[in-house]
Amino acid sequence: MSDLSAEAVDGMFYEVPDDLRRVRVFVTERALALGLPETRIEVLTLAVSELTTNTLQHTSGGGHIRIWAEDGRLVCDVVDQGPDRPFGRAMPAAEAVRGRGLAIVERVCDAVYTTAVPGGTLVRICLNL
């Protein structure tokens, strides 16, 4: 299988707010195909929506999502051109207008990792199958 056909199956690019609906559909369909329990699909969709919305609000150039299964986990990479994200943060106060997205991602996923990559940042989220 070529890289291009693999991309068509397990990954997608997004670059404008109108792409968010396609992102959610892609995440849902891919998670179902990989065997993520339906009760966890909403969790994954929420986490990816928070990360991709963050990309569109705080970076330029959009981003890329890739989802696959490995070692009993569903793994999702979200890569964009933004700076490294601070994880391990406290949930903002109830009256805060912004700042909950990354805190939510950390709390709903089984594991969250971030690393700098050429030209940006990769955030990897994992949910146990």
Side-chain angles (χ1 to χ4, degrees), residues 91-114:
M91 184 65 74
E95 60 274 0
V97 176
R98 300 177 64 105
R100 287 182 188 80
L102 297 179
I104 289 170
V105 170
E106 284 185 281
R107 283 157 181 80
V108 301
C109 295
D110 295 318
V112 179
Y113 309 94
T114 185

Side-chain angles (χ1 to χ4, degrees), residues 30-78:
R30 189 79 181 120
L32 278 169
L34 292 169
L36 187 67
E38 287 189 37
T39 56
R40 308 264 350 248
I41 290 175
E42 286 184 23
V43 169
L44 176 66
T45 303
L46 170 65
V48 174
S49 290
E50 291 294 340
L51 292 172
T52 54
T53 298
N54 201 33
T55 296
L56 296 174
Q57 289 180 346
H58 302 291
T59 72
S60 61
H64 177 260
I65 301 165
R66 183 170 169 248
I67 302 173
W68 71 99
E70 179 178 283
D71 298 328
R73 290 182 146 184
L74 184 134
V75 181
C76 177
D77 285 353
V78 178

